[in-house]
Amino acid sequence: MTTSTILLLVVSVLIAAGLSFYQYLYKAKSESKVNRFLAFLRFISLFSVFVLLINPIISRKTYEVIKTPLPIVVDNSQSVKELGQETLAKELAEKLSKSNSLKDKYEVQLYRFDADFHTGNELDFKGKQTHIDQVAQNLKQFYRNQHYPVVLLTDGNQTIGNDYVYSFQQNTTVYPLVLGDTTTFLDLKINQLNVNKYAFLKNKFPVEVFLQYSGTKPVNATFSIQQGNATLHKQNISFSPAKKAQAVSVLLNADKVGVQSFKAVISSSEKEKNQYNNVKNFAVEIIDQRSEIALISSVNHPDLSALKRSIEANQQRKVTIIKPNEIKSLQDYNVLILYQPDAQFRTVLEQNQKLQLNSFVITGMSTDFNLLNQYQNQVQCKVSGLKEDYTAEFNPQFNSFALDNIGFEQFPPLEHPFGTISLKGNANTLLKSKVRNLATENPLLAFSENGLHRNAFLFGENIWKWRMESHLKTKSFENFDIFTDKIIQYLASNAAKKSLVVTHDSFYNSGETIEISAQYFNKNYEFDENARLTIQLKNNQTKAVKSYDFLKGNNEYKVNLDGLEHGVYSFTVKENNSKTQYSGSFQVLDFEIEKQFINPDVSRLNQLASNTEGKAYYPNQIDQLIDILSKNETYKPVEKAIIRQTPLIDWVWLLVILAASLAAEWFIRKYNGLL
């Protein structure tokens, strides 16, 4: 309370007392007990009114003890159950969370994780993936700028995410509690299998298999690849304590169109604890053609290499970089990429006027715009000799095909001559151009369609910077490569437009996300945001049928079908208003990654503990861990002073006192005939 407030209160006391004395004592003919009591009541009333007008603020200081957080994080994935540790994990988590010595020192919080991160202790050990890196990221968000320990109950066998050994921040000390038997058992395992999703008919496709052995004696094994009842490849493999891993490369024939399922098997005469990891199913979709793409340019530019690498990330594409004067026939190609066409392109443009091949035109500082305007009528370019940098603005209303915004607005600007670009006919803009964050009327990336003839136009060079920027942000070229693949897929297809377009893979691994997306277009081929899409899914083996509704996303509809058993599924997508349908099928391969392990990953858990200045413990050392945490002087409770300021006008009892004093004064005066 300030000095001025105290002085006002003192003045209020004097005024209230003076007025009360003057009315009931000074002016009274005789001094009686009634007058003295009435004077007291008047003093209370006047002083209460003055206090409400002054409204002093009362400060009150309290102290609160803030304990150090102690997150106890339990692995809820299926691998813990496969190792026979589910009961022990529950017991350990309960003992830690209910330890009085820990609760006295820490704010104990219980979490669980599998593919996702959750609060609480509802453990069922049915998680299909183990994502330990996500634990570090979530705890970092929960306990910002705090120094705290973490008890991590896990087998350490991560199946998705970044390397968790280096994920936890420096102010976090991790104490892994290792779940699983560390005894070395004899085990043969297919550790990893690499194969392309697609292969081309009458070609050979490679299969790369990494085999792993755990044991203390030499073992002879047999590795084979089977399709149905037929064995396509078979060879003998030898392992020993000094030779515990081998890589096998096999070339298989692509002799039948469609999704072909295979099985890799390693076996021996030795008895193994876990034989599930001896088999790995895989599938390859055999297609009878691939897109031949001519990347035509008369100039050398980094864009050429970036485009070739990006497009050929899809094995169905083959890009040939060629100069305009070296082309003998355009009929050898499905799509043309005309990079900065100049005077040397005249012959190519004349040939394509007859063939009408779909083309992707990229313009820049070396482009002959007069020639370009002469040989096509989808866009008209009026440019000057001045150079300008154009950044991108994503158009969410774009509906020629489904594409997510991969951060185009943050990509470096593209160089292009300054001028005006006009779209004509049936054109659709994906990216609009901006100059120094000011929107222009010019497109940056646009698509045109006339019957079965399709073209794409990119007005700017240095797209290689986009691919590098995408990699810097996501640590992968995947997003940018999908972007270019969607462009080529649009140009490579000459099919007429469909009102219902469904996108799905031909096969999925059991346990991974199964997502199907769809787009529905109205009669004007505009994306219909009010469509009602459902999918009816049928298991071809069990004949079980399920129905799901699509959820609307960004310019598309999606449905998630996680939790499906392995097998072949057929499905029908229906738009309920127009009754438009699409039918397809896919296969879920029998592969559960959480069943691959027979031991905990002790070495990585020890490395994690060492990196965070912690220590790994085993279940029989739980009491020692509790004792270490309880006596650790690094983590001390902090006493925090909390000052609460309350205005006296919020005090209800002051109003009650005022009302009571006024009422009592009126009643006494009325009773004594003073009114």
Side-chain angles (χ1 to χ4, degrees):
M1 194 178 299
T2 62
T3 304
S4 60
T5 303
I6 295 173
L7 289 175
L8 287 173
L9 290 174
V10 171
V11 172
S12 299
V13 170
L14 295 176
I15 294 174
L19 291 174
S20 302
F21 175 80
Y22 176 77
Q23 184 170 356
Y24 285 108
L25 297 178
Y26 179 76
K27 291 175 62 178
K29 297 179 180 179
S30 62
E31 185 176 342
S32 64
K33 291 183 179 180
V34 173
N35 287 344
R36 285 196 294 269
F37 187 62
L38 288 173
F40 172 73
L41 291 176
R42 178 57 60 91
F43 170 79
I44 294 297
S45 300
L46 291 173
F47 182 68
S48 298
V49 171
F50 291 145
V51 168
L52 288 173
L53 292 173
I54 296 171
N55 189 24
I57 296 176
I58 299 175
S59 298
R60 184 175 59 181
K61 181 184 289 187
T62 59
Y63 294 91
E64 182 180 353
V65 176
I66 306 297
K67 297 180 181 178
T68 303
L70 175 60
I72 299 171
V73 191
V74 186
D75 189 341
N76 192 45
S77 64
Q78 192 176 357
S79 64
V80 174
K81 185 176 182 179
E82 293 297 324
L83 295 176
Q85 300 293 301
E86 68 273 24
T87 302
L88 180 60
K90 290 182 179 180
E91 293 174 353
L92 294 174
E94 184 176 4
K95 187 170 184 177
L96 286 166
S97 61
K98 293 185 177 180
S99 170
N100 291 328
S101 59
L102 292 181
K103 289 195 289 186
D104 290 342
K105 186 178 180 66
Y106 300 96
E107 186 68 33
V108 180
Q109 299 286 343
L110 197 60
Y111 302 96
R112 70 185 191 280
F113 73 96
D114 36 58
D116 299 310
F117 188 82
H118 312 275
T119 59
N121 59 350
E122 298 83 4
L123 300 169
D124 56 14
F125 303 100
K126 294 182 179 180
K128 297 296 185 181
Q129 299 276 7
T130 302
H131 196 175
I132 303 177
D133 170 62
Q134 187 175 229
V135 174
Q137 304 307 321
N138 279 275
L139 292 180
K140 190 183 300 183
Q141 295 296 321
F142 291 168
Y143 308 112
R144 290 177 177 271
N145 304 320
Q146 296 188 61
H147 185 57
Y148 60 95
V150 177
V151 179
L152 184 64
L153 286 77
T154 181
D155 56 16
N157 293 311
Q158 178 169 268
T159 58
I160 55 174
N162 297 325
D163 190 350
Y164 66 86
V165 171
Y166 305 99
S167 296
F168 289 85
Q169 56 186 0
Q170 295 180 351
N171 60 350
T172 305
T173 304
V174 183
Y175 295 91
L177 195 54
V178 183
L179 300 175
D181 192 346
T182 58
T183 305
T184 301
F185 298 95
L186 188 146
D187 183 58
L188 293 168
K189 175 182 178 182
I190 299 178
N191 193 45
Q192 186 175 341
L193 188 149
N194 298 328
V195 64
N196 294 327
K197 285 189 174 183
Y198 304 97
F200 303 105
L201 186 65
K202 297 181 181 180
N203 284 351
K204 291 182 180 291
F205 62 92
V207 180
E208 186 179 35
V209 185
F210 294 92
L211 307 174
Q212 187 173 318
Y213 165 69
S214 294
T216 57
K217 63 179 182 180
V219 170
N220 293 321
T222 301
F223 172 75
S224 62
I225 296 180
Q226 304 168 9
Q227 185 179 28
N229 296 324
T231 300
L232 306 181
H233 175 83
K234 187 175 182 180
Q235 70 179 85
N236 296 323
I237 305 289
S238 296
F239 296 98
S240 68
K243 189 178 182 181
K244 294 191 173 184
Q246 289 204 43
V248 177
S249 296
V250 180
L251 288 175
L252 299 180
N253 292 319
D255 51 12
K256 189 183 295 184
V257 174
V259 178
Q260 305 299 317
S261 299
F262 304 90
K263 182 167 61 175
V265 182
I266 184 170
S267 60
S268 73
S269 59
E270 302 290 339
K271 185 177 180 180
E272 298 181 55
K273 182 180 179 179
N274 182 4
Q275 293 187 335
Y276 184 86
N277 57 16
N278 288 21
V279 179
K280 183 164 287 191
N281 294 289
F282 65 99
V284 177
E285 184 175 2
I286 310 299
I287 55 179
D288 60 359
Q289 63 179 355
R290 64 177 175 179
S291 300
E292 294 284 347
I293 300 158
L295 178 50
I296 307 172
S297 175
S298 60
V299 298
N300 294 322
H301 199 283
D303 283 352
L304 304 179
S305 176
L307 287 168
K308 178 178 173 64
R309 289 176 179 272
S310 180
I311 295 170
E312 289 186 343
N314 184 339
Q315 298 296 319
Q316 298 181 72
R317 321 291 188 203
K318 181 183 178 182
V319 178
T320 302
I321 300 178
I322 190 169
K323 293 185 179 297
N325 54 12
E326 296 176 352
I327 295 178
K328 297 180 180 178
S329 173
L330 293 180
Q331 294 180 343
D332 298 332
Y333 305 101
N334 306 108
V335 176
L336 303 180
I337 301 179
L338 307 179
Y339 188 81
Q340 302 211 42
D342 54 19
Q344 300 182 41
F345 278 72
R346 186 175 298 275
T347 303
V348 173
L349 294 172
E350 288 176 351
Q351 289 185 44
N352 198 37
Q353 275 190 328
K354 300 176 182 178
L355 293 175
Q356 292 291 298
L357 294 178
N358 293 345
S359 59
F360 182 16
V361 180
I362 302 176
T363 61
M365 300 305 298
S366 302
T367 303
D368 185 339
F369 289 96
N370 292 327
L371 180 70
L372 183 62
N373 291 336
Q374 180 181 349
Y375 282 94
Q376 55 80 36
N377 57 9
Q378 289 86 23
V379 299
Q380 286 296 307
C381 305
K382 297 179 181 180
V383 299
S384 65
L386 301 177
K387 183 181 72 173
E388 187 58 84
D389 292 336
Y390 292 94
T391 54
E393 180 183 3
F394 182 74
N395 177 18
Q397 304 303 318
F398 178 79
N399 57 23
S400 293
F401 52 84
L403 182 69
D404 293 329
N405 187 351
I406 60 174
F408 294 105
E409 288 82 359
Q410 285 74 47
F411 286 167
L414 301 182
E415 291 184 357
H416 195 266
F418 180 78
T420 302
I421 299 172
S422 302
L423 296 177
K424 297 184 177 181
N426 187 16
N428 200 350
T429 300
L430 173 62
L431 299 177
K432 303 175 183 178
S433 66
K434 297 171 65 177
V435 177
R436 301 177 185 87
N437 291 325
L438 296 177
T440 70
E441 297 298 326
N442 292 344
L444 190 64
L445 176 60
F447 298 83
S448 69
E449 187 165 355
N450 184 13
L452 298 180
H453 186 54
R454 295 176 173 179
N455 291 295
F457 297 89
L458 176 65
F459 303 103
E461 60 181 87
N462 292 331
I463 197 174
W464 67 270
K465 295 182 180 179
W466 286 15
R467 191 168 190 254
M468 295 301 296
E469 184 69 17
S470 178
H471 186 275
L472 288 174
K473 290 183 177 180
T474 64
K475 310 302 180 186
S476 170
F477 293 114
E478 182 178 1
N479 287 345
F480 184 86
D481 293 347
I482 291 175
F483 162 61
T484 57
D485 185 65
K486 288 289 184 74
I487 296 175
I488 299 302
Q489 182 178 350
Y490 172 82
L491 296 173
S493 173
N494 286 323
K497 290 181 176 179
K498 299 178 181 179
S499 59
L500 181 59
V501 180
V502 180
T503 304
H504 64 95
D505 288 339
S506 299
F507 54 88
Y508 303 87
N509 285 323
S510 177
E512 73 178 14
T513 300
I514 300 176
E515 188 176 79
I516 296 178
S517 61
Q519 287 182 300
Y520 179 74
F521 302 96
N522 59 24
K523 293 182 179 180
N524 293 330
Y525 206 70
E526 298 170 337
F527 179 73
D528 190 343
E529 296 186 352
N530 298 316
R532 294 173 53 228
L533 298 180
T534 59
I535 180 172
Q536 188 177 68
L537 185 69
K538 179 181 178 181
N539 187 315
N540 292 352
Q541 283 73 37
T542 64
K543 307 302 179 183
V545 178
K546 293 182 179 180
S547 295
Y548 303 87
D549 291 326
F550 280 80
L551 298 177
K552 183 179 176 298
N554 183 19
N555 209 26
E556 65 179 347
Y557 294 87
K558 291 183 179 180
V559 65
N560 195 308
L561 305 176
D562 289 353
L564 297 181
E565 297 179 354
H566 64 88
V568 178
Y569 292 83
S570 57
F571 66 89
T572 299
V573 177
K574 180 187 292 184
E575 203 288 311
N576 294 327
N577 294 325
S578 64
K579 307 303 180 184
T580 307
Q581 294 186 1
Y582 170 89
S583 297
S585 64
F586 61 85
Q587 183 175 355
V588 179
L589 304 178
D590 182 14
F591 175 72
E592 294 190 39
I593 193 169
E594 290 291 329
K595 293 184 178 181
Q596 301 294 309
F597 310 104
I598 61 170
N599 292 112
D601 196 339
V602 178
S603 61
R604 298 182 66 73
L605 291 175
N606 279 322
Q607 188 178 357
L608 169 62
S610 176
N611 288 349
T612 59
E613 299 182 354
K615 182 181 178 182
Y617 289 86
Y618 296 93
N620 60 353
Q621 299 174 309
I622 183 67
D623 293 327
Q624 182 181 346
L625 173 59
I626 292 174
D627 186 62
I628 289 293
L629 289 171
S630 302
K631 296 179 180 179
N632 194 326
E633 293 299 321
T634 305
Y635 309 106
K636 296 181 179 180
V638 177
E639 189 175 62
K640 183 178 180 181
I642 300 176
I643 299 176
R644 294 185 175 89
Q645 294 183 332
T646 306
L648 202 60
I649 198 172
D650 294 337
W651 192 41
V652 178
W653 285 106
L654 185 58
L655 295 175
V656 173
I657 292 171
L658 176 60
S661 63
L662 290 172
E665 182 183 355
W666 179 87
F667 180 79
I668 293 171
R669 292 186 65 181
K670 182 74 173 178
Y671 182 79
N672 289 278
L674 298 176
L675 291 178

